[in-house]
Short mmCIF file of all heavy atoms in Angstrom, two decimals:
data_model
loop_
_atom_site.label_atom_id
_atom_site.label_comp_id
_atom_site.label_asym_id
_atom_site.label_seq_id
_atom_site.Cartn_x
_atom_site.Cartn_y
_atom_site.Cartn_z
N ARG B 27 45.97 -11.58 -49.13
CA ARG B 27 45.58 -12.91 -48.64
C ARG B 27 46.69 -13.54 -47.81
O ARG B 27 46.43 -14.21 -46.81
CB ARG B 27 45.23 -13.82 -49.82
CG ARG B 27 43.85 -13.56 -50.36
CD ARG B 27 43.59 -14.26 -51.64
NE ARG B 27 43.39 -15.69 -51.47
CZ ARG B 27 43.03 -16.49 -52.47
NH1 ARG B 27 42.82 -16.00 -53.66
NH2 ARG B 27 42.88 -17.77 -52.27
N LYS B 28 47.93 -13.33 -48.26
CA LYS B 28 49.05 -13.94 -47.55
C LYS B 28 49.20 -13.34 -46.15
O LYS B 28 49.39 -14.07 -45.18
CB LYS B 28 50.32 -13.70 -48.37
CG LYS B 28 51.53 -14.44 -47.86
CD LYS B 28 51.57 -15.84 -48.39
CE LYS B 28 52.79 -16.55 -47.85
NZ LYS B 28 52.74 -17.98 -48.15
N VAL B 29 49.09 -11.99 -46.08
CA VAL B 29 49.23 -11.35 -44.77
C VAL B 29 48.10 -11.80 -43.86
O VAL B 29 48.31 -12.09 -42.68
CB VAL B 29 49.27 -9.82 -44.92
CG1 VAL B 29 49.17 -9.14 -43.57
CG2 VAL B 29 50.53 -9.40 -45.62
N THR B 30 46.88 -11.89 -44.42
CA THR B 30 45.75 -12.38 -43.63
C THR B 30 46.05 -13.77 -43.07
O THR B 30 45.83 -14.05 -41.89
CB THR B 30 44.49 -12.45 -44.49
OG1 THR B 30 44.34 -11.20 -45.16
CG2 THR B 30 43.28 -12.72 -43.67
N ALA B 31 46.59 -14.63 -43.94
CA ALA B 31 46.91 -15.99 -43.50
C ALA B 31 47.96 -15.96 -42.40
O ALA B 31 47.87 -16.66 -41.40
CB ALA B 31 47.39 -16.82 -44.68
N LYS B 32 48.97 -15.09 -42.58
CA LYS B 32 50.04 -15.03 -41.58
C LYS B 32 49.50 -14.55 -40.24
O LYS B 32 49.93 -15.02 -39.18
CB LYS B 32 51.15 -14.09 -42.06
CG LYS B 32 52.01 -14.68 -43.14
CD LYS B 32 52.98 -15.69 -42.57
CE LYS B 32 53.61 -16.44 -43.71
NZ LYS B 32 54.07 -17.77 -43.37
N VAL B 33 48.57 -13.57 -40.31
CA VAL B 33 47.99 -13.06 -39.07
C VAL B 33 47.28 -14.19 -38.33
O VAL B 33 47.31 -14.27 -37.11
CB VAL B 33 47.01 -11.91 -39.37
CG1 VAL B 33 46.21 -11.54 -38.15
CG2 VAL B 33 47.77 -10.71 -39.86
N GLN B 34 46.66 -15.10 -39.09
CA GLN B 34 45.93 -16.21 -38.46
C GLN B 34 46.79 -17.46 -38.29
O GLN B 34 46.25 -18.55 -38.14
CB GLN B 34 44.71 -16.55 -39.31
CG GLN B 34 43.76 -15.38 -39.48
CD GLN B 34 42.74 -15.60 -40.56
OE1 GLN B 34 42.86 -16.52 -41.35
NE2 GLN B 34 41.73 -14.77 -40.59
N TYR B 35 48.09 -17.32 -38.37
CA TYR B 35 49.03 -18.45 -38.25
C TYR B 35 48.78 -19.53 -39.29
O TYR B 35 48.83 -20.72 -39.00
CB TYR B 35 48.96 -19.09 -36.86
CG TYR B 35 49.56 -18.23 -35.80
CD1 TYR B 35 48.76 -17.50 -34.94
CD2 TYR B 35 50.93 -18.13 -35.67
CE1 TYR B 35 49.30 -16.69 -33.97
CE2 TYR B 35 51.48 -17.32 -34.71
CZ TYR B 35 50.66 -16.61 -33.85
OH TYR B 35 51.21 -15.81 -32.92
N ARG B 36 48.44 -19.13 -40.51
CA ARG B 36 48.30 -20.11 -41.57
C ARG B 36 49.43 -19.92 -42.57
O ARG B 36 50.24 -19.02 -42.43
CB ARG B 36 46.95 -19.94 -42.28
CG ARG B 36 45.78 -20.35 -41.44
CD ARG B 36 44.51 -20.39 -42.24
NE ARG B 36 44.00 -19.06 -42.53
CZ ARG B 36 43.79 -18.60 -43.76
NH1 ARG B 36 44.08 -19.33 -44.80
NH2 ARG B 36 43.30 -17.40 -43.93
N VAL B 37 49.47 -20.77 -43.60
CA VAL B 37 50.53 -20.64 -44.59
C VAL B 37 50.12 -19.68 -45.69
O VAL B 37 50.88 -18.83 -46.12
CB VAL B 37 50.88 -22.02 -45.20
CG1 VAL B 37 52.00 -21.88 -46.20
CG2 VAL B 37 51.26 -22.97 -44.10
N GLY B 38 48.90 -19.81 -46.15
CA GLY B 38 48.42 -18.90 -47.18
C GLY B 38 48.62 -19.43 -48.58
O GLY B 38 49.34 -20.40 -48.79
N PRO B 39 47.97 -18.80 -49.55
CA PRO B 39 47.99 -19.29 -50.93
C PRO B 39 49.33 -18.99 -51.62
O PRO B 39 50.04 -18.08 -51.21
CB PRO B 39 46.87 -18.51 -51.59
CG PRO B 39 46.78 -17.26 -50.82
CD PRO B 39 47.17 -17.58 -49.42
N PRO B 40 49.66 -19.75 -52.68
CA PRO B 40 50.88 -19.47 -53.43
C PRO B 40 50.78 -18.18 -54.24
O PRO B 40 49.69 -17.64 -54.41
CB PRO B 40 51.02 -20.68 -54.34
CG PRO B 40 49.68 -21.26 -54.43
CD PRO B 40 48.99 -20.96 -53.15
N LEU B 41 51.91 -17.72 -54.74
CA LEU B 41 52.01 -16.39 -55.36
C LEU B 41 51.04 -16.20 -56.52
O LEU B 41 50.44 -15.15 -56.67
CB LEU B 41 53.46 -16.19 -55.83
CG LEU B 41 53.78 -14.88 -56.55
CD1 LEU B 41 53.52 -13.70 -55.65
CD2 LEU B 41 55.22 -14.87 -57.02
N LEU B 42 50.89 -17.25 -57.35
CA LEU B 42 50.09 -17.07 -58.56
C LEU B 42 48.60 -17.28 -58.34
O LEU B 42 47.83 -17.25 -59.28
CB LEU B 42 50.58 -18.02 -59.65
CG LEU B 42 51.89 -17.59 -60.32
CD1 LEU B 42 52.28 -18.59 -61.38
CD2 LEU B 42 51.75 -16.22 -60.94
N GLN B 43 48.20 -17.51 -57.09
CA GLN B 43 46.83 -17.91 -56.82
C GLN B 43 45.77 -16.97 -57.40
O GLN B 43 44.84 -17.44 -58.06
CB GLN B 43 46.62 -18.10 -55.32
CG GLN B 43 45.36 -18.81 -54.95
CD GLN B 43 45.30 -20.19 -55.53
OE1 GLN B 43 46.25 -20.94 -55.40
NE2 GLN B 43 44.22 -20.54 -56.19
N PRO B 44 45.89 -15.63 -57.21
CA PRO B 44 44.85 -14.77 -57.79
C PRO B 44 44.73 -14.92 -59.30
O PRO B 44 43.61 -14.94 -59.84
CB PRO B 44 45.33 -13.36 -57.43
CG PRO B 44 46.20 -13.52 -56.27
CD PRO B 44 46.85 -14.86 -56.42
N LEU B 45 45.86 -15.08 -59.98
CA LEU B 45 45.83 -15.26 -61.44
C LEU B 45 45.16 -16.58 -61.80
O LEU B 45 44.31 -16.65 -62.70
CB LEU B 45 47.25 -15.20 -61.99
CG LEU B 45 47.34 -15.31 -63.49
CD1 LEU B 45 46.76 -14.07 -64.13
CD2 LEU B 45 48.77 -15.49 -63.94
N ILE B 46 45.53 -17.64 -61.06
CA ILE B 46 44.95 -18.96 -61.34
C ILE B 46 43.45 -18.92 -61.15
O ILE B 46 42.69 -19.48 -61.95
CB ILE B 46 45.59 -20.03 -60.43
CG1 ILE B 46 47.07 -20.19 -60.77
CG2 ILE B 46 44.90 -21.35 -60.59
CD1 ILE B 46 47.80 -21.08 -59.82
N ASP B 47 42.99 -18.24 -60.09
CA ASP B 47 41.56 -18.13 -59.85
C ASP B 47 40.86 -17.53 -61.06
O ASP B 47 39.81 -18.03 -61.49
CB ASP B 47 41.30 -17.24 -58.63
CG ASP B 47 41.62 -17.94 -57.34
OD1 ASP B 47 41.87 -19.15 -57.39
OD2 ASP B 47 41.62 -17.28 -56.29
N ILE B 48 41.47 -16.46 -61.60
CA ILE B 48 40.80 -15.78 -62.71
C ILE B 48 40.81 -16.64 -63.96
O ILE B 48 39.79 -16.75 -64.65
CB ILE B 48 41.45 -14.40 -62.92
CG1 ILE B 48 40.96 -13.48 -61.82
CG2 ILE B 48 41.07 -13.83 -64.27
CD1 ILE B 48 41.62 -12.18 -61.77
N VAL B 49 41.94 -17.31 -64.23
CA VAL B 49 42.01 -18.19 -65.40
C VAL B 49 40.97 -19.30 -65.28
O VAL B 49 40.26 -19.63 -66.23
CB VAL B 49 43.43 -18.77 -65.55
CG1 VAL B 49 43.44 -19.83 -66.63
CG2 VAL B 49 44.41 -17.68 -65.88
N LYS B 50 40.87 -19.85 -64.07
CA LYS B 50 39.90 -20.91 -63.86
C LYS B 50 38.48 -20.43 -64.12
O LYS B 50 37.71 -21.09 -64.81
CB LYS B 50 40.00 -21.42 -62.42
CG LYS B 50 38.94 -22.43 -62.09
CD LYS B 50 38.67 -22.52 -60.63
CE LYS B 50 37.81 -21.35 -60.19
NZ LYS B 50 37.43 -21.42 -58.79
N LEU B 51 38.16 -19.24 -63.56
CA LEU B 51 36.80 -18.74 -63.73
C LEU B 51 36.49 -18.47 -65.20
O LEU B 51 35.38 -18.68 -65.66
CB LEU B 51 36.62 -17.46 -62.92
CG LEU B 51 36.48 -17.69 -61.42
CD1 LEU B 51 36.50 -16.37 -60.69
CD2 LEU B 51 35.21 -18.42 -61.11
#
Side-chain angles (χ1 to χ4, degrees):
Chain B
R27 281 170 74 174
K28 188 84 180 170
V29 171
T30 310
K32 285 284 169 206
V33 169
Q34 301 167 347
Y35 289 103
R36 289 190 286 122
V37 181
L41 178 62
L42 284 180
Q43 193 60 49
L45 183 68
I46 295 173
D47 285 351
I48 284 172
V49 171
K50 175 204 77 176
L51 285 172

